[in-house]
Amino acid sequence: MTKTFNCASCSAPLEFEGTTIQKCRYCGSTVITPHDLLYSAEGFNDLSSLTGKALKIAEITGLVHDGNKLEAIKLFRQTFGVSLEDAKNAVERMERGESVDISGMHVAGSRRATPEDIEKVKKIGYTIGGSILATVVLSVLIIGGVIIAIFYFTWSAIEKKIPIVANTSATPQLSGKTTPTTDTSEVLKIGGEGTGAGKFKDNRHVAVDGHGRIYSSDYSPHRIQVFDAEGKFVNQWNPETGSNLYDLVADRDGNVYVANDKGIFKHEGESGKVIARSTNIYPRGIALTWDGKLVAVAGKSISVLDSSLKLVSEYKDAAQSANSTFGFEKLATDGSGVIFALDTHGNDICKFSPEGKFLNRFASGANAPHALAVDPQGRLFVSDTSTIFVLDANGRALRSLNAYQAFGMAFDQAGYLFVASRPHVIKRQVGF
Protein backbone atom coordinates (compact mmCIF):
# COMPACT_ATOMS: atom_id res chain seq x y z
CA MET A 1 0.00 0.00 0.00
CA THR A 2 1.37 3.40 -1.00
CA LYS A 3 2.09 5.68 1.96
CA THR A 4 1.55 9.41 1.62
CA PHE A 5 2.08 12.60 3.60
CA ASN A 6 1.64 16.31 2.93
CA CYS A 7 4.33 18.80 1.94
CA ALA A 8 4.99 21.23 4.80
CA SER A 9 5.32 24.14 2.36
CA CYS A 10 2.44 23.76 -0.10
CA SER A 11 0.38 20.97 1.57
CA ALA A 12 0.41 18.88 -1.62
CA PRO A 13 0.10 15.08 -1.15
CA LEU A 14 3.44 13.27 -1.60
CA GLU A 15 4.18 9.57 -1.96
CA PHE A 16 6.68 8.30 0.59
CA GLU A 17 9.87 7.33 -1.28
CA GLY A 18 11.55 5.54 1.61
CA THR A 19 14.11 8.31 2.16
CA THR A 20 14.81 10.65 5.06
CA ILE A 21 14.29 13.71 2.89
CA GLN A 22 12.77 14.19 -0.55
CA LYS A 23 11.85 16.95 -2.98
CA CYS A 24 8.28 18.15 -3.38
CA ARG A 25 7.47 17.79 -7.08
CA TYR A 26 4.93 20.59 -6.84
CA CYS A 27 6.81 23.45 -5.14
CA GLY A 28 10.40 22.16 -5.20
CA SER A 29 10.86 22.34 -1.40
CA THR A 30 13.01 19.87 0.49
CA VAL A 31 10.68 17.94 2.81
CA ILE A 32 11.51 15.94 5.95
CA THR A 33 9.88 12.51 6.06
CA PRO A 34 7.46 12.28 9.02
CA HIS A 35 8.75 10.36 12.05
CA ASP A 36 6.27 7.50 11.82
CA LEU A 37 6.88 6.82 8.14
CA LEU A 38 10.63 7.00 8.50
CA TYR A 39 10.84 4.61 11.41
CA SER A 40 8.49 2.11 9.79
CA ALA A 41 10.57 1.98 6.60
CA GLU A 42 12.64 -1.16 6.20
CA GLY A 43 15.65 0.70 4.84
CA PHE A 44 16.43 2.90 7.84
CA ASN A 45 18.60 0.42 9.72
CA ASP A 46 22.19 0.65 10.85
CA LEU A 47 23.90 3.84 11.96
CA SER A 48 27.08 2.63 13.60
CA SER A 49 29.17 2.33 10.43
CA LEU A 50 28.34 5.74 8.94
CA THR A 51 31.29 7.61 10.45
CA GLY A 52 33.75 6.16 7.99
CA LYS A 53 31.21 6.53 5.18
CA ALA A 54 31.15 10.33 5.61
CA LEU A 55 34.78 10.65 4.59
CA LYS A 56 34.21 8.32 1.63
CA ILE A 57 31.20 10.37 0.47
CA ALA A 58 33.32 13.53 0.59
CA GLU A 59 35.97 11.76 -1.48
CA ILE A 60 33.38 10.51 -4.00
CA THR A 61 31.88 14.01 -4.31
CA GLY A 62 35.33 15.44 -4.96
CA LEU A 63 35.94 12.88 -7.72
CA VAL A 64 32.60 13.76 -9.34
CA HIS A 65 33.33 17.47 -9.40
CA ASP A 66 36.83 16.85 -10.74
CA GLY A 67 35.37 14.87 -13.65
CA ASN A 68 36.68 11.46 -12.49
CA LYS A 69 33.35 9.71 -12.97
CA LEU A 70 34.71 6.16 -13.36
CA GLU A 71 36.76 6.42 -10.17
CA ALA A 72 33.74 7.84 -8.35
CA ILE A 73 31.57 4.90 -9.46
CA LYS A 74 34.25 2.43 -8.42
CA LEU A 75 34.65 4.00 -4.98
CA PHE A 76 30.88 4.24 -4.43
CA ARG A 77 30.49 0.56 -5.27
CA GLN A 78 33.32 -0.43 -2.93
CA THR A 79 32.01 1.75 -0.11
CA PHE A 80 28.37 0.64 -0.16
CA GLY A 81 28.61 -2.81 -1.74
CA VAL A 82 26.00 -2.06 -4.40
CA SER A 83 25.81 -3.25 -7.98
CA LEU A 84 27.65 -1.49 -10.81
CA GLU A 85 24.35 -0.20 -12.18
CA ASP A 86 23.25 1.19 -8.80
CA ALA A 87 26.64 2.85 -8.26
CA LYS A 88 26.52 4.37 -11.74
CA ASN A 89 23.00 5.72 -11.17
CA ALA A 90 23.99 7.20 -7.80
CA VAL A 91 27.09 8.95 -9.18
CA GLU A 92 25.13 10.33 -12.13
CA ARG A 93 22.60 11.79 -9.68
CA MET A 94 25.47 13.43 -7.83
CA GLU A 95 26.83 14.68 -11.16
CA ARG A 96 23.48 16.35 -11.88
CA GLY A 97 23.47 18.01 -8.46
CA GLU A 98 20.68 15.78 -7.12
CA SER A 99 20.60 14.16 -3.70
CA VAL A 100 21.44 10.49 -3.16
CA ASP A 101 19.88 8.75 -0.18
CA ILE A 102 22.06 6.09 1.50
CA SER A 103 19.71 5.23 4.34
CA GLY A 104 18.31 2.28 2.40
CA MET A 105 21.75 0.77 1.77
CA HIS A 106 22.43 -1.97 4.27
CA VAL A 107 25.85 -1.22 5.72
CA ALA A 108 27.36 -3.32 8.46
CA GLY A 109 26.34 -2.23 11.93
CA SER A 110 25.57 -3.41 15.41
CA ARG A 111 22.13 -1.94 16.10
CA ARG A 112 18.96 -0.62 14.57
CA ALA A 113 18.08 3.05 14.74
CA THR A 114 15.70 3.78 17.61
CA PRO A 115 12.91 6.36 17.68
CA GLU A 116 15.21 8.46 19.88
CA ASP A 117 17.92 8.38 17.21
CA ILE A 118 15.49 9.49 14.54
CA GLU A 119 14.11 12.24 16.78
CA LYS A 120 17.67 13.55 17.20
CA VAL A 121 18.09 13.65 13.42
CA LYS A 122 14.79 15.48 13.13
CA LYS A 123 15.74 18.03 15.80
CA ILE A 124 19.15 18.67 14.29
CA GLY A 125 17.33 19.45 11.07
CA TYR A 126 17.48 17.86 7.67
CA THR A 127 16.31 21.20 6.30
CA ILE A 128 19.91 22.06 5.47
CA GLY A 129 19.09 20.92 1.92
CA GLY A 130 19.32 18.18 -0.67
CA SER A 131 23.08 17.84 -0.70
CA ILE A 132 24.33 14.32 -0.17
CA LEU A 133 27.16 15.72 1.94
CA ALA A 134 24.66 17.40 4.29
CA THR A 135 22.63 14.18 4.54
CA VAL A 136 25.68 12.15 5.56
CA VAL A 137 26.99 14.74 8.02
CA LEU A 138 23.62 14.92 9.78
CA SER A 139 23.58 11.14 10.16
CA VAL A 140 27.17 11.04 11.39
CA LEU A 141 26.39 13.73 13.97
CA ILE A 142 24.40 11.17 15.98
CA ILE A 143 27.40 8.89 16.55
CA GLY A 144 30.59 10.79 15.73
CA GLY A 145 31.98 13.18 18.33
CA VAL A 146 34.67 14.48 16.01
CA ILE A 147 32.19 15.11 13.19
CA ILE A 148 30.06 17.25 15.52
CA ALA A 149 32.68 19.99 15.55
CA ILE A 150 33.04 19.91 11.77
CA PHE A 151 29.29 20.01 11.21
CA TYR A 152 28.80 22.80 13.77
CA PHE A 153 31.24 25.03 11.91
CA THR A 154 29.57 24.30 8.54
CA TRP A 155 26.08 24.85 9.96
CA SER A 156 27.11 28.18 11.47
CA ALA A 157 28.64 29.35 8.20
CA ILE A 158 25.46 28.51 6.27
CA GLU A 159 22.81 29.63 8.76
CA LYS A 160 24.50 32.80 9.98
CA LYS A 161 25.84 33.66 6.53
CA ILE A 162 29.39 34.14 7.90
CA PRO A 163 31.90 34.19 5.02
CA ILE A 164 34.66 31.63 5.56
CA VAL A 165 37.04 33.85 3.62
CA ALA A 166 36.49 37.56 3.13
CA ASN A 167 38.37 40.49 1.73
CA THR A 168 38.89 42.94 4.59
CA SER A 169 38.13 45.84 2.26
CA ALA A 170 34.75 44.43 1.23
CA THR A 171 31.47 46.15 2.00
CA PRO A 172 29.91 44.79 5.25
CA GLN A 173 27.02 42.38 4.75
CA LEU A 174 23.46 43.01 5.90
CA SER A 175 22.48 40.74 8.76
CA GLY A 176 18.78 40.37 7.93
CA LYS A 177 16.80 38.92 5.04
CA THR A 178 14.67 40.99 2.73
CA THR A 179 10.95 40.46 2.35
CA PRO A 180 9.95 39.14 -1.12
CA THR A 181 8.27 41.82 -3.24
CA THR A 182 6.52 42.06 -6.60
CA ASP A 183 8.67 44.87 -7.99
CA THR A 184 8.62 43.29 -11.44
CA SER A 185 5.81 42.92 -13.94
CA GLU A 186 5.26 40.03 -16.35
CA VAL A 187 5.64 41.17 -19.94
CA LEU A 188 5.65 37.87 -21.80
CA LYS A 189 5.00 34.20 -20.97
CA ILE A 190 5.78 31.38 -23.39
CA GLY A 191 5.88 27.59 -23.25
CA GLY A 192 3.67 25.40 -21.07
CA GLU A 193 3.52 21.72 -20.15
CA GLY A 194 4.03 19.35 -23.08
CA THR A 195 6.40 17.77 -25.57
CA GLY A 196 5.29 19.54 -28.73
CA ALA A 197 6.76 22.59 -30.43
CA GLY A 198 7.07 25.47 -27.99
CA LYS A 199 6.30 23.29 -24.93
CA PHE A 200 8.52 22.13 -22.05
CA LYS A 201 8.66 19.44 -19.39
CA ASP A 202 11.64 20.53 -17.29
CA ASN A 203 13.28 23.63 -18.78
CA ARG A 204 15.97 24.96 -16.44
CA HIS A 205 17.93 27.30 -18.72
CA VAL A 206 17.19 30.38 -20.82
CA ALA A 207 19.27 32.65 -23.04
CA VAL A 208 18.59 35.76 -25.16
CA ASP A 209 20.75 36.89 -28.10
CA GLY A 210 21.39 40.36 -29.50
CA HIS A 211 18.45 40.05 -31.91
CA GLY A 212 16.01 39.35 -29.10
CA ARG A 213 15.63 35.66 -29.92
CA ILE A 214 14.87 33.52 -26.87
CA TYR A 215 16.34 30.05 -26.30
CA SER A 216 15.32 27.49 -23.70
CA SER A 217 15.61 23.74 -23.25
CA ASP A 218 14.58 20.85 -21.07
CA TYR A 219 17.32 19.47 -18.85
CA SER A 220 17.38 15.95 -20.30
CA PRO A 221 17.08 15.09 -23.10
CA HIS A 222 17.83 18.61 -24.21
CA ARG A 223 16.29 20.07 -27.33
CA ILE A 224 16.95 23.75 -27.85
CA GLN A 225 13.76 25.64 -28.71
CA VAL A 226 13.97 29.03 -30.43
CA PHE A 227 11.41 31.86 -30.12
CA ASP A 228 11.40 35.33 -31.64
CA ALA A 229 11.32 38.48 -29.51
CA GLU A 230 7.50 38.36 -29.35
CA GLY A 231 7.53 34.77 -28.09
CA LYS A 232 6.53 33.09 -31.35
CA PHE A 233 8.02 29.61 -31.85
CA VAL A 234 10.65 29.67 -34.62
CA ASN A 235 12.55 26.38 -34.56
CA GLN A 236 13.96 23.60 -32.43
CA TRP A 237 17.18 21.62 -32.72
CA ASN A 238 19.09 18.96 -30.83
CA PRO A 239 22.80 19.13 -30.01
CA GLU A 240 24.65 16.35 -31.81
CA THR A 241 25.97 14.87 -28.56
CA GLY A 242 25.40 14.91 -24.81
CA SER A 243 22.39 14.05 -22.67
CA ASN A 244 22.33 16.45 -19.70
CA LEU A 245 22.25 20.21 -20.22
CA TYR A 246 24.22 22.15 -17.60
CA ASP A 247 24.12 25.69 -18.97
CA LEU A 248 23.09 27.78 -21.96
CA VAL A 249 24.15 31.29 -23.08
CA ALA A 250 23.76 33.35 -26.27
CA ASP A 251 25.93 36.15 -27.68
CA ARG A 252 25.05 39.39 -29.47
CA ASP A 253 25.54 37.79 -32.91
CA GLY A 254 22.95 35.07 -32.41
CA ASN A 255 25.27 32.21 -31.50
CA VAL A 256 24.38 29.80 -28.70
CA TYR A 257 26.87 28.10 -26.39
CA VAL A 258 25.80 24.81 -24.81
CA ALA A 259 27.52 23.17 -21.82
CA ASN A 260 26.60 19.52 -21.39
CA ASP A 261 28.14 16.27 -20.18
CA LYS A 262 30.25 16.02 -23.36
CA GLY A 263 31.86 19.47 -23.30
CA ILE A 264 31.13 22.95 -24.68
CA PHE A 265 29.57 23.51 -28.10
CA LYS A 266 28.96 26.68 -30.08
CA HIS A 267 25.94 26.61 -32.39
CA GLU A 268 24.31 28.93 -34.87
CA GLY A 269 21.34 29.91 -32.76
CA GLU A 270 18.50 29.77 -35.24
CA SER A 271 19.52 26.60 -37.10
CA GLY A 272 21.58 24.70 -34.53
CA LYS A 273 24.56 24.25 -36.87
CA VAL A 274 27.74 23.46 -34.91
CA ILE A 275 30.38 26.18 -35.28
CA ALA A 276 32.98 25.16 -32.70
CA ARG A 277 33.50 22.70 -29.88
CA SER A 278 35.70 22.06 -26.85
CA THR A 279 35.67 18.51 -25.51
CA ASN A 280 38.55 18.97 -23.04
CA ILE A 281 36.51 20.94 -20.50
CA TYR A 282 33.34 19.65 -18.85
CA PRO A 283 31.84 22.71 -17.16
CA ARG A 284 28.87 23.02 -14.84
CA GLY A 285 28.42 26.69 -15.70
CA ILE A 286 29.33 29.14 -18.48
CA ALA A 287 29.00 32.89 -19.02
CA LEU A 288 29.98 35.40 -21.69
CA THR A 289 32.11 38.50 -21.12
CA TRP A 290 31.54 41.91 -22.70
CA ASP A 291 34.29 41.26 -25.28
CA GLY A 292 32.92 37.90 -26.45
CA LYS A 293 35.02 35.51 -24.39
CA LEU A 294 33.47 32.52 -22.66
CA VAL A 295 34.13 31.82 -18.97
CA ALA A 296 33.60 28.25 -17.73
CA VAL A 297 33.71 26.64 -14.30
CA ALA A 298 34.66 22.97 -14.12
CA GLY A 299 35.34 21.55 -10.69
CA LYS A 300 37.89 23.67 -8.88
CA SER A 301 39.15 25.72 -11.83
CA ILE A 302 37.93 28.65 -13.92
CA SER A 303 38.77 28.71 -17.63
CA VAL A 304 38.51 31.49 -20.19
CA LEU A 305 38.04 30.61 -23.87
CA ASP A 306 37.86 32.73 -27.00
CA SER A 307 34.88 32.78 -29.38
CA SER A 308 36.31 29.72 -31.18
CA LEU A 309 36.43 27.83 -27.86
CA LYS A 310 40.22 27.88 -27.74
CA LEU A 311 41.65 28.09 -24.23
CA VAL A 312 42.97 31.57 -23.42
CA SER A 313 43.72 31.20 -19.71
CA GLU A 314 43.00 28.85 -16.84
CA TYR A 315 42.93 29.61 -13.11
CA LYS A 316 43.50 26.20 -11.56
CA ASP A 317 43.84 27.53 -8.01
CA ALA A 318 40.54 29.45 -8.07
CA ALA A 319 38.79 27.16 -5.59
CA GLN A 320 41.78 27.04 -3.26
CA SER A 321 42.11 30.82 -3.21
CA ALA A 322 38.39 31.15 -2.39
CA ASN A 323 38.53 28.39 0.25
CA SER A 324 36.05 26.31 -1.74
CA THR A 325 36.34 22.59 -0.98
CA PHE A 326 34.63 21.23 -4.10
CA GLY A 327 34.75 24.18 -6.52
CA PHE A 328 31.97 25.89 -8.42
CA GLU A 329 28.90 25.07 -10.50
CA LYS A 330 27.29 28.30 -11.77
CA LEU A 331 28.64 31.70 -12.67
CA ALA A 332 27.92 35.11 -14.13
CA THR A 333 30.00 38.07 -15.33
CA ASP A 334 29.36 41.81 -15.21
CA GLY A 335 30.12 44.51 -17.77
CA SER A 336 33.68 44.97 -16.55
CA GLY A 337 34.52 41.27 -16.74
CA VAL A 338 34.28 40.53 -13.00
CA ILE A 339 33.42 36.85 -12.39
CA PHE A 340 30.86 35.66 -9.83
CA ALA A 341 31.03 31.90 -9.16
CA LEU A 342 28.63 29.90 -7.01
CA ASP A 343 30.29 27.61 -4.47
CA THR A 344 29.08 24.06 -5.03
CA HIS A 345 28.22 23.20 -1.42
CA GLY A 346 28.37 26.41 0.61
CA ASN A 347 25.80 28.40 -1.41
CA ASP A 348 28.19 31.35 -1.18
CA ILE A 349 29.22 33.50 -4.14
CA CYS A 350 32.93 33.91 -4.81
CA LYS A 351 34.02 37.06 -6.63
CA PHE A 352 37.06 37.14 -8.94
CA SER A 353 38.71 39.85 -11.01
CA PRO A 354 38.76 39.47 -14.84
CA GLU A 355 42.30 38.12 -14.38
CA GLY A 356 41.11 35.39 -12.00
CA LYS A 357 42.27 36.99 -8.74
CA PHE A 358 40.06 36.15 -5.77
CA LEU A 359 38.42 39.30 -4.38
CA ASN A 360 35.69 38.36 -1.94
CA ARG A 361 33.23 35.74 -0.76
CA PHE A 362 29.70 36.46 0.44
CA ALA A 363 26.40 34.72 1.14
CA SER A 364 23.97 34.32 -1.76
CA GLY A 365 20.95 34.49 0.54
CA ALA A 366 19.50 31.37 -1.09
CA ASN A 367 19.00 27.93 0.44
CA ALA A 368 19.41 26.07 -2.87
CA PRO A 369 20.54 28.53 -5.57
CA HIS A 370 19.98 27.47 -9.17
CA ALA A 371 21.50 30.26 -11.28
CA LEU A 372 23.20 33.65 -11.28
CA ALA A 373 22.66 36.62 -13.60
CA VAL A 374 23.90 40.22 -13.67
CA ASP A 375 21.68 43.04 -14.95
CA PRO A 376 22.90 46.09 -16.94
CA GLN A 377 23.19 48.04 -13.66
CA GLY A 378 25.63 45.49 -12.26
CA ARG A 379 23.23 43.98 -9.72
CA LEU A 380 23.48 40.26 -9.04
CA PHE A 381 20.34 38.10 -9.24
CA VAL A 382 20.19 34.65 -7.59
CA SER A 383 17.31 32.24 -8.31
CA ASP A 384 16.05 29.90 -5.58
CA THR A 385 12.85 28.23 -6.90
CA SER A 386 10.25 30.47 -5.23
CA THR A 387 12.44 33.54 -4.68
CA ILE A 388 14.94 35.59 -6.66
CA PHE A 389 17.45 37.41 -4.45
CA VAL A 390 19.00 40.68 -5.60
CA LEU A 391 22.45 41.73 -4.32
CA ASP A 392 24.87 44.48 -5.16
CA ALA A 393 28.31 43.61 -6.54
CA ASN A 394 29.75 43.27 -3.02
CA GLY A 395 27.04 40.98 -1.69
CA ARG A 396 24.82 43.53 0.07
CA ALA A 397 21.20 42.34 0.02
CA LEU A 398 18.99 44.79 -1.89
CA ARG A 399 15.69 42.95 -2.10
CA SER A 400 14.04 39.64 -3.01
CA LEU A 401 11.39 38.91 -5.63
CA ASN A 402 8.57 36.41 -5.59
CA ALA A 403 8.92 33.69 -8.23
CA TYR A 404 7.56 30.28 -9.21
CA GLN A 405 9.86 27.39 -10.16
CA ALA A 406 12.63 29.87 -11.01
CA PHE A 407 15.76 28.24 -12.40
CA GLY A 408 17.88 29.74 -15.21
CA MET A 409 17.94 33.51 -15.79
CA ALA A 410 19.19 35.91 -18.45
CA PHE A 411 19.01 39.65 -19.17
CA ASP A 412 18.64 41.23 -22.58
CA GLN A 413 20.34 44.47 -23.58
CA ALA A 414 17.29 46.50 -22.55
CA GLY A 415 17.41 45.13 -19.00
CA TYR A 416 14.42 42.76 -19.18
CA LEU A 417 14.77 39.67 -17.00
CA PHE A 418 14.03 36.27 -18.59
CA VAL A 419 13.39 33.39 -16.20
CA ALA A 420 13.15 29.66 -16.95
CA SER A 421 10.09 29.17 -14.75
CA ARG A 422 9.33 25.57 -15.64
CA PRO A 423 7.43 24.76 -17.76
CA HIS A 424 7.47 28.35 -19.03
CA VAL A 425 9.83 31.16 -19.92
CA ILE A 426 8.74 34.44 -18.38
CA LYS A 427 9.93 37.88 -19.42
CA ARG A 428 9.80 40.38 -16.55
CA GLN A 429 10.29 44.11 -16.42
CA VAL A 430 12.37 45.05 -13.39
CA GLY A 431 10.81 48.12 -11.76
CA PHE A 432 13.53 49.26 -9.37
Side-chain angles (χ1 to χ4, degrees):
M1 179 178 178
T2 302
K3 299 178 180 179
T4 62
F5 64 98
N6 293 329
C7 172
S9 298
C10 68
S11 300
L14 303 177
E15 291 187 5
F16 176 49
E17 299 175 354
T19 60
T20 52
I21 58 173
Q22 62 188 70
K23 279 278 189 180
C24 174
R25 64 188 182 92
Y26 297 97
C27 69
S29 299
T30 299
V31 184
I32 305 172
T33 300
H35 176 283
D36 294 340
L37 285 179
L38 180 63
Y39 185 59
S40 64
E42 295 179 357
F44 200 82
N45 283 324
D46 300 309
L47 297 176
S48 59
S49 63
L50 285 177
T51 303
K53 300 294 190 254
L55 299 177
K56 288 294 184 182
I57 285 295
E59 185 178 351
I60 293 168
T61 307
L63 290 171
V64 170
H65 287 282
D66 286 341
N68 297 323
K69 183 176 178 180
L70 293 178
E71 288 299 318
I73 293 173
K74 180 180 178 181
L75 184 56
F76 193 98
R77 189 180 184 189
Q78 291 174 347
T79 301
F80 294 104
V82 297
S83 67
L84 177 60
E85 181 180 1
D86 288 342
K88 179 176 179 292
N89 291 337
V91 169
E92 287 179 348
R93 285 180 64 86
M94 295 169 67
E95 189 178 36
R96 296 193 297 268
E98 301 173 1
S99 63
V100 177
D101 182 74
I102 64 169
S103 63
M105 299 179 185
H106 296 277
V107 295
S110 59
R111 66 178 176 87
R112 178 183 176 85
T114 66
E116 289 75 18
D117 290 329
I118 299 171
E119 191 63 28
K120 289 178 183 178
V121 173
K122 183 178 178 182
K123 288 180 179 179
I124 292 167
Y126 264 103
T127 53
I128 191 171
S131 162
I132 182 172
L133 183 60
T135 304
V136 173
V137 172
L138 284 170
S139 299
V140 171
L141 183 59
I142 303 173
I143 59 171
V146 176
I147 305 299
I148 291 176
I150 299 173
F151 174 75
Y152 177 78
F153 178 78
T154 306
W155 175 268
S156 298
I158 295 174
E159 285 298 300
K160 297 180 181 179
K161 307 304 180 187
I162 301 174
I164 298 175
V165 175
N167 189 331
T168 55
S169 63
T171 301
Q173 309 301 304
L174 294 182
S175 58
K177 286 191 175 182
T178 59
T179 301
T181 67
T182 55
D183 291 341
T184 64
S185 57
E186 184 178 303
V187 178
L188 180 67
K189 185 176 184 178
I190 59 178
E193 182 80 19
T195 57
K199 301 295 183 181
F200 301 103
K201 296 291 288 185
D202 184 21
N203 60 316
R204 306 184 192 182
H205 305 281
V206 63
V208 185
D209 67 19
H211 306 293
R213 284 190 291 261
I214 306 163
Y215 306 87
S216 190
S217 172
D218 286 330
Y219 171 69
S220 180
H222 52 301
R223 54 168 182 155
I224 311 298
Q225 299 202 59
V226 188
F227 303 83
D228 65 18
E230 284 71 45
K232 180 182 177 181
F233 175 78
V234 175
N235 191 20
Q236 68 177 36
W237 46 268
N238 295 86
E240 63 179 33
T241 185
S243 56
N244 299 328
L245 179 67
Y246 295 140
D247 214 345
L248 180 73
V249 295
D251 64 18
R252 290 189 294 267
D253 299 325
N255 300 307
V256 172
Y257 297 81
V258 173
N260 62 28
D261 52 339
K262 299 299 182 182
I264 309 173
F265 301 86
K266 180 180 180 180
H267 299 262
E268 185 179 275
E270 192 166 358
S271 68
K273 177 184 177 182
V274 178
I275 300 173
R277 70 188 72 203
S278 173
T279 54
N280 296 321
I281 301 175
Y282 303 94
R284 298 303 295 241
I286 55 177
L288 288 164
T289 63
W290 65 272
D291 57 351
K293 293 186 177 66
L294 186 78
V295 183
V297 286
K300 300 180 181 180
S301 67
I302 297 177
S303 302
V304 180
L305 301 88
D306 63 19
S307 59
S308 299
L309 298 184
K310 302 298 182 183
L311 185 65
V312 175
S313 54
E314 184 177 12
Y315 312 119
K316 294 184 177 180
D317 63 345
Q320 181 179 357
S321 65
N323 199 23
S324 174
T325 304
F326 297 108
F328 317 104
E329 60 179 355
K330 298 297 178 185
L331 81 164
T333 59
D334 67 13
S336 62
V338 170
I339 301 167
F340 300 93
L342 179 65
D343 184 275
T344 298
H345 284 293
N347 295 343
D348 286 349
I349 296 172
C350 302
K351 182 178 178 180
F352 297 86
S353 73
E355 296 75 34
K357 179 183 178 181
F358 173 66
L359 301 176
N360 194 10
R361 179 186 179 110
F362 49 82
S364 67
N367 292 319
H370 299 304
L372 306 177
V374 178
D375 73 357
Q377 298 183 45
R379 298 174 297 192
L380 187 61
F381 287 63
V382 185
S383 64
D384 188 10
T385 307
S386 61
T387 307
I388 297 175
F389 297 91
V390 186
L391 315 173
D392 70 10
N394 292 309
R396 185 170 66 93
L398 300 177
R399 65 185 66 205
S400 54
L401 310 174
N402 289 316
Y404 176 76
Q405 291 292 304
F407 281 77
M409 299 180 294
F411 282 93
D412 65 7
Q413 298 178 52
Y416 285 97
L417 172 63
F418 293 78
V419 183
S421 181
R422 58 183 189 180
H424 298 92
V425 172
I426 298 177
K427 178 181 179 182
R428 303 170 69 168
Q429 184 175 17
V430 179
F432 59 90

